Amino acid sequence: MINKSELKELLIMAMIAGRIMLKNGAETYRVEDTILRLCKSRMNIKYAETFVTTTGIFLTVEYGEDVISYTYRIKSRKIDLNKVAMVNDFSRRFVNSDMSIREGKSILGDIEKSTTYSKPINLLAGGASGGFFSLLFGGSFRDFVSAFIISLLLVGLIDFLDKKKFSFFIKNILGAMIITVLSIISIEIGIGESLNMVIIGSIMPLVPGVAITNAIRDSISEDFLSGVSRGIEALIIALSIAFGVGIVLRFYISFLGGVHNVYGQAISISSSFYNWLLHII
Amino acid sequence: MVKQFLLALVSTIGFCILFNVPRDSIFKAGIIGSIGWIVYISISDIFDSTVGGAFVGALTIGILGEIFARLFKKPATIFIIPGIIPLVPGAGSYYTMLAIIEKRYTDAANFGSETIFIALSISSGIIIASTISKSFRRRKAA
């Protein structure tokens, strides 16, 4: 048996653990599971229940004569699977040993602050994923080079916008527009070969594949509320990417002649571009 | 085939770093991703259906992810999320959007429904794998 202030500490610690997991891309059921496990590990709690959605955590515990409840609102989400793994590890260790709650909290604090990869490696990885995806979908070596450079720049840009706390909608629209402009430029100056391949490769770091899959996964495992909210998030990300790419391509097609043969090799429109330039001058 | 395997490996590893997969699991997740990709393209070729291919590919990724999770004592998500990235219909959603802005609405409906079905089949593949693994765990516990 422990006293009430310790119980509070334990709840806050479970809450922090849940928050780290949810913010970094864990599934809803895993977050609920971890929180309950941490709560029930230390004392004879009569009743503990938690309700996790994508945007918040609610936790209520009944202990003796009291009912204590905590709410935490989650505003930004990203994917950092290392933190999920570390918290998972931590909860296993905490449950199976008699680590003090203060110690647990300091470990969680360290996990929250940790970074796994340095920035240059991150940028290079972004470039590699974009470039190799354009190869995987059938692009040529020249497409690879331009997709590599463009997605490297994109990852840097997203990082920067994250730091400035831009909303995810603006972030994706800006990202998609810049990708498309850069892809068109790369085709025009003759680095890239097929506009489609360059764009498809470079938007891969933005595409909400994980959000879509997690949304459907949550819904299938009966977490309908998180399923819906993740689904809406994915939908808005997809729409903003489509909007960003679409608006630039639309301008490109109507003002510069653009790509007519979309499914075969994109036709380089250098000649019409120069005509247009001459026309302006 | 070997070329496709290597390409999928490198791109999955790139995504692993973007998603901050722990250092010791990067290569394993990459292998899972490229095996999933190979299954996806082979099944799509044989049965002439990308949706079926995505389903079987995601199922393979899910099962391998659960096995790896058991072997290396890590949550299965670490292996599954980067693994499914090559299957995710990024190209499909791009073509849908392109068709819409070019006012080819029939094509847009074609690409769009295929994209949605691929997303559905990927997640149901993963769900089935994790359900199987959960039932195994329960049987062991009992």
Side-chain angles (χ1 to χ4, degrees):
Chain A
M1 290 293 257
I2 55 170
N3 59 38
K4 201 172 160 187
S5 71
E6 259 181 277
L7 172 75
K8 236 185 203 164
E9 291 291 300
L10 180 72
L11 285 196
I12 293 175
M13 191 197 79
M15 209 62 180
I16 295 174
R19 180 180 81 197
I20 297 174
M21 291 186 104
L22 193 59
K23 268 193 168 175
N24 293 297
E27 314 96 303
T28 311
Y29 82 87
R30 191 186 295 282
V31 179
E32 288 182 346
D33 203 52
T34 307
I35 292 178
L36 286 186
R37 226 174 260 217
L38 286 176
C39 284
K40 287 180 173 164
S41 66
R42 278 301 180 268
M43 60 201 88
N44 44 351
I45 286 174
K46 265 196 227 156
Y47 173 84
E49 194 61 80
T50 178
F51 180 58
V52 175
T53 73
T54 322
T55 47
I57 305 177
F58 312 90
L59 169 66
T60 301
V61 168
E62 191 182 342
Y63 177 76
E65 297 297 308
D66 297 308
V67 175
I68 303 183
S69 149
Y70 272 92
T71 306
Y72 192 87
R73 174 85 169 80
I74 305 268
K75 281 192 178 136
S76 68
R77 284 161 300 279
K78 58 182 190 323
I79 296 170
D80 189 336
L81 297 175
N82 194 24
K83 285 182 185 164
V84 177
M86 284 198 290
V87 176
N88 206 49
D89 246 25
F90 162 80
S91 83
R92 203 165 286 168
R93 253 188 306 151
F94 187 84
V95 172
N96 293 330
S97 70
D98 32 68
M99 189 191 295
S100 77
I101 293 170
R102 178 163 306 174
E103 205 179 317
K105 262 173 121 176
S106 83
I107 291 178
L108 282 176
D110 288 345
I111 292 177
E112 200 162 24
K113 276 187 224 115
S114 71
T115 47
T116 319
Y117 298 107
S118 62
K119 214 169 168 188
I121 291 188
N122 235 320
L123 288 181
L124 270 183
S129 53
F132 283 102
F133 263 111
S134 79
L135 278 184
L136 201 58
F137 292 132
S140 65
F141 179 71
R142 282 159 59 192
D143 298 334
F144 164 76
V145 174
S146 32
F148 187 95
I149 297 168
I150 293 168
S151 40
L152 197 148
L153 293 175
L154 169 76
V155 172
L157 173 83
I158 295 287
D159 236 40
F160 174 76
L161 292 181
D162 259 345
K163 264 192 206 119
K164 297 273 178 235
K165 304 234 183 284
F166 274 80
S167 92
F168 74 109
F169 182 68
I170 303 290
K171 209 167 69 185
N172 285 302
I173 282 200
L174 265 182
M177 285 171 89
I178 286 171
I179 285 171
T180 320
V181 170
L182 288 178
S183 306
I184 290 174
I185 291 175
S186 87
I187 299 287
E188 289 299 333
I189 63 177
I191 303 176
E193 222 171 311
S194 150
L195 183 58
N196 288 340
M197 289 307 150
V198 178
I199 294 182
I200 290 172
S202 325
I203 54 171
M204 280 312 277
L206 286 182
V207 166
V210 179
I212 295 176
T213 321
N214 268 344
I216 301 178
R217 245 164 114 185
D218 275 348
S219 308
I220 295 180
S221 40
E222 294 180 35
D223 287 321
F224 297 116
L225 199 56
S226 344
V228 169
S229 51
R230 275 190 220 257
I232 297 286
E233 185 188 14
L235 188 72
I236 293 194
I237 294 176
L239 279 179
S240 57
I241 295 173
F243 186 71
V245 175
I247 203 163
V248 175
L249 274 186
R250 186 71 247 175
F251 275 122
Y252 179 56
I253 289 170
S254 21
F255 291 140
L256 298 172
V259 270
H260 297 296
N261 180 5
V262 180
Y263 298 105
Q265 208 69 310
I267 302 164
S268 173
I269 53 117
S270 315
S271 56
S272 69
F273 180 65
Y274 294 128
N275 284 341
W276 176 73
L277 268 186
L278 287 178
H279 182 74
I280 287 191
I281 294 165
Chain B
M1 201 62 115
V2 176
K3 188 185 156 206
Q4 292 273 322
F5 187 85
L6 290 178
L7 287 179
L9 185 67
V10 182
S11 19
T12 316
I13 285 178
F15 263 99
C16 288
I17 295 174
L18 281 187
F19 290 163
N20 289 309
V21 171
R23 268 162 219 269
D24 51 347
S25 312
I26 285 189
F27 191 69
K28 296 160 196 159
I31 292 283
I32 289 187
S34 37
I35 291 176
W37 174 254
I38 292 295
V39 171
Y40 166 68
I41 52 172
S42 336
I43 298 284
S44 310
D45 258 10
I46 295 169
F47 295 104
D48 193 25
S49 143
T50 47
V51 176
F55 175 73
V56 182
L59 191 62
T60 318
I61 291 168
I63 292 173
L64 285 177
E66 298 285 348
I67 292 173
F68 276 35
R70 210 58 65 76
L71 283 180
F72 303 112
K73 300 243 179 320
K74 290 263 170 18
T77 340
I78 288 188
F79 304 109
I80 293 175
I81 287 188
I84 55 167
I85 287 289
L87 305 186
V88 160
S93 50
Y94 168 72
Y95 284 129
T96 311
M97 183 276 316
L98 197 62
I100 289 175
I101 65 164
E102 289 181 343
K103 296 186 181 151
R104 290 178 287 114
Y105 294 115
T106 337
D107 282 348
N110 275 337
F111 285 123
S113 52
E114 189 171 344
T115 304
I116 292 170
F117 278 119
I118 288 179
L120 265 174
S121 63
I122 291 175
S123 21
S124 40
I126 290 168
I127 284 280
I128 289 174
S130 70
T131 314
I132 293 173
S133 112
K134 261 182 212 159
S135 71
F136 268 112
R137 203 174 306 157
R138 229 171 274 138
R139 199 172 302 162
K140 239 179 227 168

